[in-house]
Amino acid sequence: MSKIYKLQFILFLFAVSTITAQFSEEFNTYSKLYPENSRVRLLKETVISITQENDELIILEQNKEEDLYLNESATYNSKSSVSSSFFFELNEINAFSYTFENGKYVESKVDKFTEKDELNDSFYDDSKTLSFIYPKLKKGSKSVLEYSQNIKNPRFLSPFFFGDYFPIIKTKVTIIADKGIELSFKEFNTSKVNIAFTKEEKRKKTIYTWVLENQDEFEYEPNTPSYTTILPHIVPIINSYKVKKETKKLLGEVSDLYNWYYSLVENVNKEAPDPALVNIVNTITKDKKTDLEKVKAIYYWAQKNIKYIAFEYALGGFIPRESNEVFRKKYGDCKDNSSILFKMLEIAGIKGNLTWIGTRSIPYTYQEVPTPVVDNHMILSYEENGKTYYLDATGRYIKFGLPSSFIQGKEALVSFGNEFKVKTVPVVDAKENAIIDSTTIYIKDNVLVGNSITHITGYPKINYFNSLENINSESKLKGFYNARFIKGNNKFLINNLEEINKYDYDEDFIINYDFEIKNYFKKLGDEIYINLNLNKDISDLKADKKREYAIEYDFKRYQSYVTQFNIPEGYIVDYIPENVSFSDDLITCTISYELKENVVFYKQDIELNFLVLTKEQQTELNKLIKKIEKQYKEIIVLKKQ
């Protein structure tokens, strides 16, 4: 090796060693292991101590999070926060940055914390956020957060998670409980991770410990069911504890949870109803002949007149306000809406039932997790002739008999005084959520022009109404419908439109509109080629082949497109595609053509019978969509006579 090459090699080694020395050994290790990640959590540790003082349980939770930042985006993680509330009282907090300089970490302590209430236009509760900024964070830096909180109600132990959307080197959870305190633990999504669990009896304590090491990040994907369906986690439950020689039940059975819930609501609405409220009930029900008609009238009144604004503090998050207060303010949260519905039905001589329920973001059943973690919503239910009607007045435009979309398929804890029933909310049939489009098209001056009459029902109608509330000009209205009703190609343009039954709760929403589509068909010599598949909605359902998790949809749906194509004068049909039908448990799609005199009738029906698509179902659906898309390319051929 020549002297020049030796010198270059020495300089290269010096440069490499200099660059490496800028960072710690752990940085060099984890940046190689996780080159695509911006950070790695070195430690996530939670210690929960449960002690008994007389007949009360004292719960302290201590948390520590240590993060290492692997690239220049570290500065974007400088802002952080910790949340607290009445039941989760922040006790102590410390936060530090560690910058690697001259071969060692240099500590910088956070000395400024800013507290603010969690408040927006439609929601207020007692949650507070303590915000702060880690100083001097950069590539190779670390941050450490330590905080503790008092859990002021033993029913509110939270799940602890063993994974996140970034790598975690070590997760450790320890529960230290006085003997005589009986706990149980429900595991979810843990079958594919190796969590080490130990239980140790030590003096007058029972120590439970869970440890998971070297957990890779979980991939974030849009439209996935709640993270609780993906991330491994354990829900701790305090079943009971000893008071002297007696056992005090807390949770563990559905009846334990219900008895606590019922104790919070049994004394609500004992005062006489406001005379004005009585007058309203009598007025809106006076022409109604049946109880069902009266319930419907009261339900619609509440949707239209009681604005949903959540306002919760302490047990106010669980106890409905008096109906008279809700009536005077004309707003309330889900419990308050249920309270005034309950009272209005009572005024009309009808019995309603307060009902607790979890939205679809919560994956547990009441039997699996009989704790307040299982639900987050309250509605009113009404029983008649063996059918249960689920009344959620927090929304608007919800047709009577239709549950809120986000509680479909969920279990409901229905109160019957000292007794209860667990019922399952039905999933609304696809054909209840319909978009039915009847279109007539013809060729005029080398442009495809037409008229459509579209009927919209069920949840799609609710979505349309909620969107239309925010549209305040004719140009915005046309822009909205141009995007929603697009046919053929991006040259689709609505010229005139009429809205029928707008904001009506019961009737179909109907839109009648004229449109044109430029550059859609082809004219070659004596022939015209035109594709009558103006709507190719099913293509939007194709899932990414690399996707790992399920896809969740708001509701099942049905779409029907009937197109009447008037053949231009002097032309005849030379080719018409064959009728096809595709069907499995998830989807039904039929495409048909019929020639009658000088008109081609095209029809496409799509029925989507799923709320969640697993990875396996996505694969099968993609195969079916590929076959349907092949049919979407079919054209009819017209020939000049």
Side-chain angles (χ1 to χ4, degrees):
M1 183 183 290
S2 69
K3 292 183 179 180
I4 294 176
Y5 284 126
K6 282 183 179 179
L7 179 61
Q8 289 177 336
F9 183 68
I10 292 169
L11 290 173
F12 172 76
L13 291 177
F14 177 77
V16 170
S17 62
T18 302
I19 293 171
T20 304
Q22 293 177 2
F23 301 105
S24 66
E25 287 187 16
E26 61 185 350
F27 172 86
N28 293 328
T29 297
Y30 292 118
S31 60
K32 290 176 183 176
L33 282 173
Y34 303 105
E36 302 298 322
N37 293 95
S38 61
R39 66 167 166 161
V40 58
R41 180 150 292 172
L42 301 176
L43 176 65
K44 177 185 178 184
E45 183 173 18
T46 299
V47 179
I48 301 172
S49 62
I50 309 172
T51 58
Q52 185 174 343
E53 294 184 8
N54 299 320
D55 61 345
E56 299 293 328
L57 295 182
I58 308 300
I59 304 176
L60 176 67
E61 179 180 293
Q62 297 170 288
N63 295 281
K64 182 176 181 179
E65 298 173 359
E66 182 179 354
D67 291 348
L68 173 66
Y69 300 93
L70 304 179
N71 59 32
E72 287 75 8
S73 67
T75 53
Y76 297 113
N77 291 282
S78 296
K79 292 183 179 180
S80 191
S81 63
V82 172
S83 296
S84 62
S85 66
F86 178 85
F87 289 115
F88 297 88
E89 180 183 63
L90 189 63
N91 191 35
E92 184 180 2
I93 183 170
N94 290 293
F96 307 88
S97 295
Y98 293 90
T99 306
F100 195 74
E101 298 175 5
N102 300 319
K104 64 179 181 179
Y105 282 110
V106 178
E107 179 184 287
S108 299
K109 185 175 182 180
V110 175
D111 56 10
K112 182 179 180 182
F113 297 88
T114 304
E115 184 179 84
K116 68 173 183 177
D117 293 330
E118 288 294 321
L119 177 65
N120 60 38
D121 292 338
S122 62
F123 183 85
Y124 174 81
D125 66 7
D126 57 17
S127 295
K128 296 182 184 297
T129 298
L130 200 65
S131 301
F132 56 94
I133 297 176
Y134 289 113
K136 302 179 182 179
L137 279 193
K138 61 181 181 180
K139 181 179 178 180
S141 296
K142 294 200 300 186
S143 65
V144 174
L145 171 64
E146 299 173 328
Y147 66 96
S148 63
Q149 55 187 7
N150 300 315
I151 302 176
K152 296 167 69 175
N153 189 309
R155 296 175 179 85
F156 293 162
L157 285 183
S158 300
F160 36 89
F161 290 83
F162 294 88
D164 214 315
Y165 297 108
F166 46 79
I168 302 179
I169 304 308
K170 184 177 182 178
T171 302
K172 183 178 182 181
V173 177
T174 305
I175 296 181
I176 306 169
D178 285 354
K179 286 189 176 179
I181 301 173
E182 182 191 345
L183 291 98
S184 60
F185 306 97
K186 303 296 177 73
E187 296 188 13
F188 298 90
N189 314 318
T190 58
S191 61
K192 295 182 180 180
V193 292
N194 187 24
I195 300 173
F197 170 70
T198 60
K199 179 181 177 181
E200 179 184 4
E201 304 287 343
K202 194 171 183 180
R203 295 180 182 177
K204 295 183 179 181
K205 304 286 185 181
T206 304
I207 303 171
Y208 308 86
T209 305
W210 297 262
V211 177
L212 178 64
E213 296 184 335
N214 301 316
Q215 176 60 54
D216 290 341
E217 77 275 14
F218 288 84
E219 193 72 27
Y220 172 78
E221 294 176 341
N223 303 318
T224 300
S226 166
Y227 65 93
T228 52
T229 66
I230 298 170
L231 300 183
H233 64 284
I234 295 174
V235 181
I237 302 171
I238 302 177
N239 297 330
S240 63
Y241 58 98
K242 300 279 188 180
V243 178
K244 296 180 181 178
K245 293 185 179 181
E246 295 184 4
T247 298
K248 184 173 182 179
K249 287 280 287 178
L250 196 68
L251 293 172
E253 303 290 338
V254 182
S255 57
D256 299 326
L257 178 64
Y258 175 75
N259 290 337
W260 181 62
Y261 278 171
Y262 185 63
S263 72
L264 300 176
V265 302
E266 62 180 329
N267 293 316
V268 175
N269 279 334
K270 297 299 183 184
E271 63 185 42
D274 190 312
L277 182 60
V278 174
N279 183 60
I280 285 174
V281 172
N282 292 336
T283 299
I284 63 178
T285 62
K286 67 178 180 180
D287 296 328
K288 306 299 182 284
K289 297 179 181 179
T290 67
D291 283 352
L292 201 62
E293 290 176 342
K294 293 176 183 179
V295 174
K296 178 179 175 180
I298 290 169
Y299 180 47
Y300 284 174
W301 183 91
Q303 283 193 59
K304 294 174 183 177
N305 292 278
I306 306 299
K307 185 178 180 181
Y308 173 69
I309 299 179
F311 187 97
E312 301 176 357
Y313 182 83
L315 281 175
F318 295 86
I319 303 174
R321 290 172 181 80
E322 290 288 333
S323 58
N324 288 337
E325 181 183 353
V326 180
F327 174 64
R328 286 192 293 270
K329 292 180 176 179
K330 297 296 188 296
Y331 67 79
D333 63 14
C334 61
K335 301 174 303 300
D336 303 333
N337 276 273
S338 302
S339 172
I340 194 169
L341 276 174
F342 181 91
K343 195 65 176 181
M344 292 177 75
L345 262 61
E346 185 181 80
I347 294 168
I350 301 170
K351 173 67 174 151
N353 305 298
L354 293 176
T355 301
W356 294 264
I357 195 166
T359 61
R360 286 166 54 195
S361 63
I362 298 176
Y364 321 119
T365 67
Y366 278 96
Q367 194 65 44
E368 288 174 328
V369 183
T371 84
V373 170
V374 75
D375 51 36
N376 59 351
H377 194 41
M378 179 180 275
I379 60 174
L380 195 78
S381 57
Y382 170 68
E383 310 251 334
E384 182 171 300
N385 296 328
K387 181 176 180 180
T388 303
Y389 296 83
Y390 298 94
L391 312 178
D392 183 358
T394 61
R396 288 164 61 82
Y397 312 119
I398 303 174
K399 184 177 180 179
F400 183 68
L402 202 68
S404 306
S405 65
F406 51 78
I407 63 171
Q408 293 179 94
K410 290 292 297 179
E411 285 188 345
L413 184 65
V414 184
S415 173
F416 293 87
N418 291 320
E419 298 181 351
F420 69 90
K421 291 181 182 178
V422 176
K423 301 192 168 196
T424 301
V425 178
V427 176
V428 175
D429 185 76
K431 289 193 174 180
E432 294 289 321
N433 306 312
I435 296 179
I436 300 175
D437 179 281
S438 298
T439 295
T440 301
I441 55 174
Y442 57 96
I443 294 173
K444 180 180 180 182
D445 299 330
N446 290 320
V447 175
L448 191 68
V449 297
N451 169 265
S452 290
I453 300 175
T454 303
H455 289 244
I456 305 174
T457 67
Y459 296 129
K461 183 177 80 168
I462 297 170
N463 289 346
Y464 268 80
F465 285 172
N466 286 326
S467 296
L468 288 167
E469 281 187 333
N470 301 314
I471 296 175
N472 53 14
S473 71
E474 187 70 21
S475 61
K476 289 181 180 179
L477 189 67
K478 283 188 176 181
F480 172 81
Y481 284 118
N482 270 317
R484 293 294 182 99
F485 291 159
I486 186 169
K487 302 178 189 294
N489 62 27
N490 58 9
K491 299 294 180 66
F492 171 81
L493 182 65
I494 292 176
N495 295 315
N496 302 295
L497 67 89
E498 175 190 15
E499 298 169 303
I500 302 167
N501 301 327
K502 190 174 184 178
Y503 303 134
D504 190 285
Y505 280 66
D506 292 310
E507 300 298 325
D508 291 0
F509 181 38
I510 303 171
I511 304 94
N512 185 353
Y513 60 96
D514 300 323
F515 65 89
E516 64 180 46
I517 312 174
K518 293 180 179 178
N519 302 329
Y520 184 67
F521 61 90
K522 290 186 178 180
K523 195 172 183 181
L524 297 174
D526 292 340
E527 294 182 329
I528 294 175
Y529 303 87
I530 185 167
N531 188 328
L532 295 187
N533 295 282
L534 300 178
N535 301 87
K536 302 179 176 67
D537 297 344
I538 208 165
S539 294
D540 296 335
L541 296 175
K542 279 197 298 188
D544 189 331
K545 294 179 181 179
K546 296 180 181 179
R547 189 180 177 95
E548 291 294 326
Y549 303 128
I551 303 176
E552 184 173 31
Y553 297 86
D554 291 339
F555 45 83
K556 296 180 178 181
R557 64 195 72 201
Y558 172 74
Q559 293 159 220
S560 177
Y561 302 105
V562 177
T563 301
Q564 175 183 320
F565 174 50
N566 295 328
I567 299 170
E569 187 175 348
Y571 282 83
I572 60 171
V573 174
D574 189 51
Y575 171 78
I576 191 168
E578 293 182 357
N579 298 338
V580 293
S581 181
F582 305 92
S583 181
D584 61 18
D585 293 338
L586 301 173
I587 185 171
T588 299
C589 177
T590 61
I591 299 174
S592 63
Y593 300 83
E594 184 179 8
L595 177 62
K596 286 186 178 180
E597 296 180 351
N598 217 34
V599 177
V600 176
F601 291 91
Y602 164 92
K603 186 175 184 182
Q604 179 186 182
D605 283 344
I606 303 172
E607 189 170 338
L608 308 176
N609 283 303
F610 51 81
L611 290 180
V612 176
L613 285 176
T614 65
K615 181 175 174 59
E616 293 74 19
Q617 289 172 329
Q618 293 168 37
T619 300
E620 292 304 311
L621 189 61
N622 280 356
K623 292 177 183 177
L624 196 59
I625 291 174
K626 190 174 182 180
K627 294 179 182 178
I628 296 170
E629 287 181 325
K630 185 177 180 181
Q631 298 301 318
Y632 280 163
K633 297 176 182 178
E634 288 281 0
I635 60 173
I636 66 170
V637 181
L638 308 179
K639 194 167 186 177
K640 200 168 188 178
Q641 289 181 305

